[in-house]
Structures are given as C-alpha cells and as structure tokens.
C-alpha cells in the first residue's frame, strides 16, 4: 500500500507504450537523465554515458511507498548533515569542560548491574501505520495491491473500500490485483481502512492508519 499527493505534477496523464502512463514529474526526471547521458556521450563517446539515464529512469519509474525516491534521498542527506553538525557542536562543548571537572566525572562514574528485564503483560495492541499529511482536507491517492494467501493477485475483482466506517468507493482491481482510490483524512487520529470483496463478509484487507499533521 502506498500514497501519493493529488496534484497536476503527479497526475499520470501521458500514455506511452510498454511503460504505461507517466506524470509530469516522471517526464522531467527522465528528461534530465537523458540530456545528461546525451551530453556525456557527445563529449566522451563512452557506453557508460547511459548511467545517468538509467539512474533517473529508476527514480522516475519505481513505485514509491511514501515519498518519491529523490525526496527520500534528500531527506536522508539532510538527516546526516544535521547529525554531523550536532556531533561537531557536542565535541566543542566537551572541549570547554575543565580538566578537573572531567576527572571528577570519571571518579563519580559507578558501574551498576542492570535489573533483570521483566516485561509487563498487557492486552494486544494493534499497530497503526503512521500517515503524515500537510493538510487534513487535502485529497490523497491510495494505491493498493491485493493478494491471496498463496501470493497470487486478486485480479479483476469488484471491491468496496471503507475508510473510517464509511464506504468511499466501489471499484474493480486490475489484472495485477491493484486498485487506487482517493481518500480525504478529514482529521487527526486513528482511522481504519478496509477493503471488502463481493464474495466475502469479512474484509480481505484491513489496516489502521494513524494520521498526523506533518
């Protein structure tokens, strides 16, 4: 299951053979990669010039679970940059501690045997998938792949999608067992997402979403 923002830049409106429908974001990423490969090939004539176009094709065509690949890599990069700056500041702070104070800290450190781990037995808690949104009233596209216990896709099956107790759509899965529907969070908190087949009374898919503001 994965989610996408509903905006003109992410809408798959251009149809192509073999790859299917692509959005403006995907076309922009592919265009940058192919232009870089073309420029490298014109200057070097090396077959390895295809690497930029291959990398951007992976970023553009890979289905994302939460964020587009380029935004995910940028978030990871910013995380490490902030972490390294925090480490440098910590080292500077430790250097300012007087030598006598460091010795007192070392002398006052006492090794203690930890208490044995005794977990508290409680009722079973259903884990929720966290969904961070920028606006509760903004629509988001949910894509879902339904599979049987054998691993085979539930293809061409009419389904009802229920979100927070309300039926929001009735539609059929495609040949790969995938379906997509627009959901609007509405408010924060835990909400149940269920998919029912026309042949079953119990949901064939059920997930608890914990919606929070980003």
């Amino acid at each position: 299951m994965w989610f996408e923002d509903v905006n003109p830049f992410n809408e798959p409106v251009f149809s192509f053979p073999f790859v299917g429908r692509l959005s403006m974001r995907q076309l922009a990423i592919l265009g940058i990669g192919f232009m870089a490969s073309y420029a490298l090939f014109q200057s070097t004539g090396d077959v390895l010039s295809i690497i930029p176009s291959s990398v951007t094709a992976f970023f553009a065509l890979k289905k994302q679970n939460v964020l587009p690949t380029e935004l995910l890599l940028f978030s990871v990069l910013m995380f490490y940059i902030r972490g390294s700056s925090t480490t440098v500041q910590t080292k500077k702070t430790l250097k300012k501690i007087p030598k006598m104070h460091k010795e007192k800290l070392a002398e006052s450190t006492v090794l203690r045997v930890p208490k044995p781990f005794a977990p508290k037995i409680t009722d079973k808690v259903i884990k929720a998938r966290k969904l961070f949104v920028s606006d509760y009233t903004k629509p988001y596209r949910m894509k879902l792949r339904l599979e049987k216990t054998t691993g085979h896709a539930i293809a061409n099956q009419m389904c009802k999608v229920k979100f927070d107790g309300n039926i929001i759509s009735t539609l059929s899965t495609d040949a790969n067992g995938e379906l997509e529907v627009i959901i609007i969070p509405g408010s924060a908190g835990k909400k149940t997402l269920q998919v029912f087949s026309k042949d079953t009374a119990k949901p064939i898919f059920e997930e608890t979403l914990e919606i929070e503001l980003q």
Side-chain angles (χ1 to χ4, degrees):
M1 180 174 63
W2 60 95
F3 296 87
E4 291 181 353
D5 285 339
V6 178
N7 59 58
F9 200 58
N10 287 331
E11 287 296 319
V13 294
F14 303 99
S15 296
F16 295 91
F18 304 110
V19 295
R21 300 173 66 186
L22 299 179
S23 64
M24 294 175 62
R25 180 188 68 85
Q26 291 172 306
L27 287 178
I29 296 174
L30 289 173
I32 293 172
F34 282 110
M35 285 191 295
S37 294
Y38 179 76
L40 287 174
F41 184 76
Q42 290 294 324
S43 59
T44 62
D46 194 351
V47 181
L48 295 178
S49 302
I50 198 175
I51 291 178
S53 59
S54 301
V55 173
T56 53
F58 171 77
F59 287 166
L61 301 179
K62 185 179 183 298
K63 291 182 178 179
Q64 311 303 327
N65 292 330
V66 180
L67 289 175
T69 309
E70 65 274 10
L71 293 181
L72 184 61
L73 291 176
F74 179 75
S75 300
V76 172
L77 180 62
M78 292 302 297
F79 173 79
Y80 280 106
I81 291 175
R82 291 171 182 170
S84 61
S85 62
T86 305
T87 304
V88 172
Q89 291 178 0
T90 305
K91 289 182 179 179
K92 289 182 179 179
T93 305
L94 289 175
K95 288 181 179 179
K96 294 180 181 179
I97 299 177
K99 185 176 180 181
M100 293 296 295
H101 186 57
K102 288 183 179 179
E103 292 177 355
K104 289 181 180 179
L105 286 176
E107 292 175 358
S108 61
T109 303
V110 180
L111 294 177
R112 297 178 181 178
V113 179
K115 295 181 180 180
F117 177 68
K120 184 179 180 181
I121 300 176
T122 57
D123 296 334
K124 183 179 179 181
V125 179
I126 300 176
K127 293 184 178 180
R129 182 194 297 264
K130 286 193 175 183
L131 176 62
F132 295 94
V133 298
S134 57
D135 188 353
Y136 294 132
T137 61
K138 183 179 179 180
Y140 292 88
R141 181 189 295 109
M142 181 200 72
K143 293 186 177 181
L144 185 68
R145 175 179 168 84
L146 300 176
E147 294 181 349
K148 300 178 182 178
T149 54
T150 57
H152 296 88
I154 303 177
N156 304 317
Q157 183 74 254
M158 288 299 299
C159 299
K160 290 189 299 183
V161 182
K162 184 181 287 188
F163 179 67
D164 198 21
N166 301 316
I167 297 176
I168 58 174
S169 183
T170 301
L171 69 168
S172 175
T173 58
D174 60 12
N176 297 321
E178 296 182 359
L179 57 84
E180 62 179 60
V181 66
I182 301 296
I183 65 171
I184 300 176
S187 61
K190 293 184 178 181
K191 301 178 185 293
T192 303
L193 177 69
Q194 297 173 313
V195 179
F196 295 85
S197 172
K198 65 176 183 179
D199 300 327
T200 58
K202 294 183 179 180
I204 57 177
F205 176 86
E206 186 172 6
E207 185 90 15
T208 301
L209 302 177
E210 186 175 356
I211 300 174
E212 296 182 6
L213 195 63
Q214 190 173 15

